[in-house]
Amino acid sequence: MTINPDPTSAPDIPAVVRQLQSDPRRGLSAAEAARRLAQYGANAIPEKHLSPIRQFLGYFWGPIPWMIEIAAVLSAVVAHWADFAIIMTLLLVNAGVGFWQEHKAGNAIAMLRRKLALRARVLRDGLWQEIAAQDLVPGDIILLKLGNIVPADVLLLSGDYLSVDQSVLTGESLPVDKGRGDGAYSGSIVGKGEMQGVVTATGLQTFFGKTAQLVERAESVSHFRKAVLAIGNFLIVSALVLIAVILFVALAIRHEPMIRTILFALILTVAAIPVALPAVLSVTMAVGAERLARLKAIVSRLVAIEEMAGMDVLCADKTGTLTQNRLTLGEPVVIGARDAEELILAAALASERDTGDPIDTAVLGGLPASAPLASYSVLKYQPFDPVSKRSEAEVAAGPERFRVAKGAPQVILDLAQPDVGIRQTVTRQIDALAGKGYRTLGVARKDEDGAWRFLGLLPLFDPPREDSAQTIAAGQRMGIDIKMVTGDHLAIAKQVSTLLNLGQNIVPAEALPTDANAAQAQAEQADGFAQVFPEHKFAIVQALQARGHIVGMTGDGVNDAPALKQADVGIAVSGATDAARAAADLVLTAPGLTVIVGAVEEARRIFARMNSYAIYRIAETIRVLLFMTLSILVFDFYPVTAVMIVMIALLNDFPIMMIAYDNAPMAPQPVRWDMTRVLIISILLGVLGVVASFFLFWIAETYLRLPADVIRTLIFLKLLVAGHLTIFLTRNTGAIWQRPWPSWSFFNVTIATKIIGTFAAVYGWFIPPIGWGYALLVWTYALAWFFVNSGAKIIAYRTLEAYRKSSTR
């Protein structure tokens, strides 16, 4: 029975009332209302409840958790309880962080529910009564007046008029005047007037409810999750294949002792599985989130940091985001007034103070300080209403009496009845101002014994924020395409776009093609979008994502919530509604958009740290596993013991955790995971490490003729020192001395763990000792290869960049 009248055409009111089986004089009966409530459900947005325990346990299921859990089981099998405790701690930390983030992000629907009106004035059984808004049903007759939140979608039936603020629903910057036959949306706020209406839709069938459904439906797959899975899958598959080869050769071909071989394989598997991978990347983002908080940007979903680093399109909501959401007086057009001051003064006298009306506030705010407003007394005031479309006041200034009026320009022209020439001039000015996106007011004055005199026009507009143009320019220099999105008229959108240098290719939402590919292409090429509804914003974000863009969306209202959640990076600006903040990934606590530029810069540094760790971790796995496998297969020699493997793994954990606190370069353009490049650089560094290890093994065995136990300790120290030096190589794409240099905390911890490992090798802590002489030899050897690897890395990056440029031509 719910009806959503077409807002573009006048509905047949009697037909709608009949279809709803309602009675405007008596309303519904209590029994009928109860029956409809049972049939259609409560006038509320239903919540889906998932057990917190089930939600938490869900984080222990999936490829990455499986890898960590396998590592924990293997640690327990070989009775390495220290490893087991560390691995389980990492697993619980990952689950806890994910659970908390999902819990916070899931508040979007709850916040939308809270925006619904709590009480409603309804006509039941011929009597007006106040009931809970959730008990409203289609067909109810309700009363709307100043200050009410519209509790459901309503068709207005009778009364003078309503002035409704629906900016948080549609993005319109100005209040909307409504009369008989117009619809009022659930969640909008009545600013003026009083009318009765019939409920046409409740709950999820309302405009508001459909917005909530869009929020619930919104889903964007994190590029971060894809990257972690790709890295993890590569490492685990590589480890299992190489370990399977070791087991096959050792057991099936060489018939070595099963227990010793399996034990070694299990230890190697534990060391190879990237148990710290999710934790390191999560900690890196968490530390970055703290830095962003100091920049007045609160992160509600950690993976959004990685998305922000790759964001190449930012859809910026106009009202309240690019603009101030505050009407301002433009340059007055003087026609019959002596000067602009007389024109504005007359309009101010026809305005009400302290009512919060945005038009009156703008007129009074534009009054020059020299204007003698206090010397005038308003004897009689007629407020604006949609019927007369003007406000009027009778004013006294000492013995002088006169009247002033302001309102729709054509209405004021008809009141003043100027000659044809003045009327034509005024009409041309109105058209010119409308083309620039201005809303105009006509102003007139009538002296006590005279006729009405047309004084001139006052243009009104919502000015851009002071920092918007600067922020847009900075974002464009960083490779971000900024597109304006607004519910306002096309002319207003073009005017604001001109002021902000955004371009003039502004597309009305209804003009977007129905064909998906055509719509995506037009969305990509547009500078902005006008006359949009929430479903349009949602579709625009999806269209841009379908073209391969990482999309950011800024907003502050309920109407922005679906698009904020669907976007890769949803950004709620300062002063945003609860629903917008709950749906967003990033919440700005300082006014303006300059925070976004700083946040993107910091996000790109955070991404650089994560990329650095990913390359290091893959290279390290290749270096250790491939070297071990080839040593066993080719030389029938176990180059390190199980204890050494565990020591290397434990000593590696400290410096890699400090990557989160390292200084990092800021990419000038959007960045995203390039797994091909990551794997090429990782494999290069890993293979060079294998070559260096075999060369050291050959020197130790052939020239130094050292015993096997001493060779193992040499190899252990070389793997440890060279591995930690590799972390410094992965920090950038150029020479190691390029800025930014490593942070002191990162540098000190990395060097300290190498020193601890060196003391273990020199003095024989859990492993055979080698003395200072051989330890210094290993350090010198590792440093020499460090510079070789650095040169190879630089050449590889330059080659990849040259190939990328040639392939894009």
Side-chain angles (χ1 to χ4, degrees), residues 333-347:
V333 179
V334 177
I335 302 293
R338 291 190 305 273
D339 51 31
E341 182 175 313
E342 183 191 9
L343 173 61
I344 300 173
L345 177 60

Side-chain angles (χ1 to χ4, degrees), residues 444-569:
R445 171 171 170 154
K446 179 180 184 298
D447 293 325
E448 193 168 9
D449 298 322
W452 282 100
R453 179 164 48 96
F454 191 87
L455 300 181
L457 297 170
L458 293 180
L460 298 169
F461 74 108
D462 181 13
R465 289 181 181 269
E466 293 81 359
D467 60 350
S468 289
Q470 179 183 354
T471 301
I472 288 168
Q476 290 170 338
R477 288 194 298 270
M478 296 170 68
I480 301 173
D481 182 15
I482 298 176
K483 301 178 184 293
M484 181 176 66
V485 181
T486 179
D488 271 328
H489 191 272
L490 180 63
I492 296 176
K494 286 190 173 183
Q495 182 230 10
V496 173
S497 183
T498 300
L499 293 174
L500 297 176
N501 298 317
L502 274 175
Q504 289 295 295
N505 185 18
I506 308 297
V507 180
E510 65 270 16
L512 285 170
T514 55
D515 177 72
N517 290 330
Q520 291 165 14
Q522 188 165 9
E524 189 174 42
Q525 296 165 5
D527 298 317
F529 306 90
Q531 297 160 222
V532 299
F533 283 87
E535 58 267 29
H536 294 138
K537 297 184 182 185
F538 185 80
I540 288 166
V541 171
Q542 284 188 318
L544 292 167
Q545 288 172 329
R547 300 288 283 191
H549 295 288
I550 295 181
V551 183
M553 171 76 191
T554 72
D556 62 352
V558 175
N559 65 307
D560 301 317
L564 288 174
K565 194 172 182 217
Q566 174 63 30
D568 299 292
V569 187

Side-chain angles (χ1 to χ4, degrees), residues 22 26 45 75 99-100 131 152 195 225 242 269 286 306 313-314 355 359 368-369 379 412 434 444 525 539 676 694-695:
S22 184
R26 292 189 55 80
I45 300 172
S75 297
F99 172 77
W100 176 245
I131 66 171
M195 291 193 74
R225 287 203 300 267
L242 293 176
T269 303
E306 181 261 346
V313 175
L314 176 62
T355 61
I359 293 177
L379 304 177
I412 302 300
Q525 296 165 5
T676 301
F694 272 119
F695 193 57

Side-chain angles (χ1 to χ4, degrees), residues 632-646:
I632 294 169
L633 296 181
V634 178
F635 299 102
D636 192 18
F637 177 75
Y638 287 80
V640 290
T641 64
V643 172
M644 292 175 180
I645 292 174
V646 173

